[in-house]
Amino acid sequence: MSDVVEKTLTALPSLLSLDSQPGSTKLSSTSKLGTLIRGITELTSKHEEEKLIQRELTSIKEQVSSPNTSMRQMKELMVRAIYCEMLGYEAAFSYIHAIKLAQQGTALEKRVGYLAVSLFLNESHELLLLLVNTVLKDLQSTNLIEVCMALTVVSQIFPKDMIPAILPLVEEKLNHPKEIIRRKAVLALYKFYLIAPNQVQHIHNKFRKALCDKDPGVMTASLHIYLQMIQENPEGYKDLTASFVTIMKQVVGGKLPMDFNYHSVPAPWLQIQLLRILSLLGKNDQSTSEIMYEVLDESLRRAEMNHNITYAILYECVKCIYTIHPKSELLEKAAKCIGNFVLSPKINLKYLGLKALTYVVQQDPKLALQHQMTIIECLDHPDLIIKRETLELLFRITNAQNVTVIVEKMLEFLRINKDDYTTIDLVGKVAELAEKYP
């Protein structure tokens, strides 16, 4: 635990620009925040912690209310208040001072003010309205840091009713010369789409421009919006299939900057996002599915590395192959991949295999039946999550021929099971099978 505390104290000054000893990157042992953190870690009971935090909050309240407190001191007080709130103790008196810090402070002080506001308040909080004019002013600032901070807080927390007031300014930032501004503007619009989709319907063409942005970060941010919109209306975005496939080819081929790689795997989270989009576009559509067969085959082939993140890509790839219009060669490769997962001695891979089988059993019941005995053996696995997923899968692959064997296994498991949730779920499944196969 002491190592964790030391690492936390080392990181805080650079993250929050707190005062530290000259020439040192560590938080000063004499600073109020450093003393608070160390004091809490040395306590032995919850009651002692409550007494310490209450004293700390009383001290913070007195200082923020003092007219002699400078903005620099207010910044440090807000960080201490944030820490108290993180531990579950309310510091409501500091909310208005966090807003004032975001309004009146220098760039570094505003940074802490915005951070505090985003952590303290929710979107329906009445005090949030006081921040609207500050956000408007910062969005029009020539200081890139202030613009970034405003866009960040907008993408995290902003009153729904005030979106029309800042929407034109956020739209304008989609054409900003700096890629970080464009990326944050896209994420802000994504937030608007989630809480008020009707207010951003008119700028769908600008989303398309973001998808084709020369900066991979901006393009990646736009995929969040497209995944949401395609889930709601896949037919309206079929014409973008070729664009998504082209992006996928570039990613799989390692054409993106090295910064996007994770353990030598090219942009894995971007691949997962694209695979989910492709599965939505190709579902029940042969012509659209044919466009993506080649890239799916390539993705399966390149993801054969012994690392957890590649297993995640393979899982999404298998789901995509079984969702779109079927192609026999791809189905065979996906089935082999699932088989390797199910037969793996590693718990995580076995779970992925069971999860994949549970998903594909509706499209290909024979695949699950091939591994029927292996699946049944998973009921004896010590991991409870593996057992639950196995029961769900057995329930889905039950037919008139194997119902007796599977129900007997379920009843055997029921006799030794001690988990109430699993018992209730399993009794319901057995009753449903008894009714379906009398």
Side-chain angles (χ1 to χ4, degrees):
M1 178 60 75
S2 60
D3 290 342
V4 175
V5 174
E6 287 303 320
K7 288 179 180 178
T8 303
L9 296 177
T10 301
L12 278 170
S14 60
L15 287 173
L16 300 170
S17 304
L18 295 175
D19 294 332
S20 57
Q21 293 176 344
S24 172
T25 58
K26 286 193 174 185
L27 194 64
S28 169
S29 59
T30 59
S31 76
K32 297 288 181 65
L33 180 61
T35 303
L36 174 63
I37 295 173
R38 286 193 173 87
I40 290 172
T41 56
E42 291 169 0
L43 298 177
T44 57
S45 70
K46 184 69 175 175
H47 179 66
E48 290 178 346
E49 180 190 289
E50 289 176 357
K51 287 175 65 178
L52 177 61
I53 295 297
Q54 289 306 323
R55 287 200 304 270
E56 179 71 15
L57 289 174
T58 302
S59 173
I60 294 172
K61 187 174 183 179
E62 289 176 358
Q63 292 179 69
V64 296
S65 303
S66 170
N68 299 322
T69 302
S70 67
M71 282 294 167
R72 186 171 182 174
Q73 292 170 325
M74 190 68 74
K75 178 184 69 174
E76 199 259 352
L77 290 168
M78 283 303 108
V79 175
R80 285 158 58 193
I82 288 172
Y83 192 77
C84 293
E85 285 252 345
M86 285 168 57
L87 294 176
Y89 300 90
E90 190 177 77
F93 63 85
S94 64
Y95 297 173
I96 186 66
H97 297 285
I99 290 174
K100 288 179 179 178
L101 190 62
Q103 291 172 336
Q104 302 169 9
T106 62
L108 293 177
E109 292 158 1
K110 285 171 77 72
R111 180 185 183 189
V112 174
Y114 272 132
L115 174 64
V117 168
S118 64
L119 294 173
F120 289 158
L121 308 183
N122 57 55
E123 287 167 354
S124 58
H125 201 287
E126 57 187 10
L127 286 179
L128 200 57
L129 291 173
L130 299 176
L131 198 67
V132 173
N133 284 336
T134 305
V135 170
L136 279 168
K137 184 183 75 173
D138 286 344
L139 284 175
Q140 298 174 74
S141 172
T142 55
N143 187 324
L144 289 181
I145 296 175
E146 291 183 350
V147 177
C148 281
M149 288 190 291
L151 288 172
T152 300
V153 80
V154 162
S155 64
Q156 292 175 344
I157 177 173
F158 201 75
K160 179 179 176 180
D161 297 339
M162 298 307 296
I163 289 176
I166 66 165
L167 185 57
L169 290 172
V170 176
E171 283 183 56
E172 183 183 298
K173 296 296 179 284
L174 291 173
N175 299 316
H176 199 278
K178 288 289 184 180
E179 61 276 0
I180 188 172
I181 302 292
R182 299 199 301 275
R183 182 166 70 246
K184 287 181 177 291
V186 170
L187 292 173
L189 291 173
Y190 173 56
K191 175 68 173 181
F192 295 166
Y193 185 83
L194 291 177
I195 62 177
N198 293 334
Q199 297 190 27
V200 293
Q201 291 289 342
H202 64 288
I203 55 172
H204 281 200
N205 286 335
K206 294 187 178 180
F207 293 158
R208 296 192 176 217
K209 185 178 179 181
L211 182 66
C212 302
D213 196 281
K214 61 183 179 181
D215 181 72
V218 179
M219 176 271 294
T220 303
S222 72
L223 292 182
H224 293 292
I225 298 175
Y226 275 107
L227 180 59
Q228 192 73 28
M229 294 192 297
I230 292 169
Q231 283 175 338
E232 296 165 5
N233 177 29
E235 293 299 324
Y237 301 94
K238 298 278 186 179
D239 60 315
L240 288 174
T241 304
S243 298
F244 290 123
V245 169
T246 301
I247 294 171
M248 186 69 177
K249 286 180 178 177
Q250 292 176 344
V251 174
V252 172
K255 300 293 176 62
L256 266 61
M258 293 290 288
D259 293 345
F260 287 81
N261 290 6
Y262 178 76
H263 286 272
S264 302
V265 181
W269 288 277
L270 180 52
Q271 288 192 54
I272 290 170
Q273 194 92 315
L274 285 165
L275 287 167
R276 290 174 179 171
I277 288 173
L278 292 177
S279 65
L280 292 169
L281 293 171
K283 188 176 183 179
N284 302 323
D285 188 330
Q286 183 175 352
S287 60
T288 302
S289 298
E290 288 173 352
I291 300 173
M292 56 185 79
Y293 287 155
E294 182 184 345
V295 76
L296 290 175
D297 189 19
E298 182 71 6
S299 183
L300 266 182
R301 186 180 67 80
R302 286 183 179 259
E304 291 181 355
M305 288 175 61
N306 190 24
H307 195 278
N308 282 342
I309 194 64
T310 58
Y311 302 145
I313 295 171
L314 286 171
Y315 173 69
E316 289 296 337
C317 203
V318 166
K319 282 180 65 179
C320 181
I321 289 169
Y322 275 95
T323 302
I324 66 175
H325 188 82
K327 183 183 180 184
S328 57
E329 292 176 14
L330 281 176
L331 291 175
E332 287 176 14
K333 292 179 180 180
K336 181 182 176 183
C337 182
I338 292 175
N340 292 338
F341 282 167
V342 173
L343 297 171
S344 173
K346 295 180 180 179
I347 293 178
N348 288 343
L349 293 192
K350 191 177 287 291
Y351 175 77
L352 265 188
L354 293 170
K355 197 79 176 171
L357 277 175
T358 304
Y359 179 81
V360 306
V361 71
Q362 295 171 333
Q363 288 88 354
D364 187 5
K366 293 180 182 178
L367 179 60
L369 292 174
Q370 291 172 19
H371 302 284
Q372 185 171 303
M373 294 314 297
T374 306
I375 294 168
I376 290 174
E377 288 171 5
C378 288
L379 282 176
D380 300 323
H381 200 282
D383 191 280
L384 182 60
I385 304 298
I386 296 285
K387 290 177 181 178
R388 284 183 183 172
E389 196 61 41
T390 302
L391 290 168
E392 180 65 34
L393 180 54
L394 286 173
F395 175 70
R396 294 202 184 192
I397 66 172
T398 304
N399 55 37
Q401 286 73 43
N402 64 16
V403 63
T404 304
V405 176
I406 289 178
V407 170
E408 283 177 357
K409 286 290 182 181
M410 286 181 168
L411 291 174
E412 284 177 19
F413 181 80
L414 200 56
R415 292 187 189 101
I416 61 172
N417 178 61
K418 295 180 181 179
D419 179 65
D420 290 342
Y421 172 83
T422 306
T423 299
I424 294 169
D425 186 47
L426 192 51
V427 167
K429 284 179 167 58
V430 171
E432 190 174 332
L433 290 175
E435 186 178 346
K436 190 175 181 180
Y437 302 102

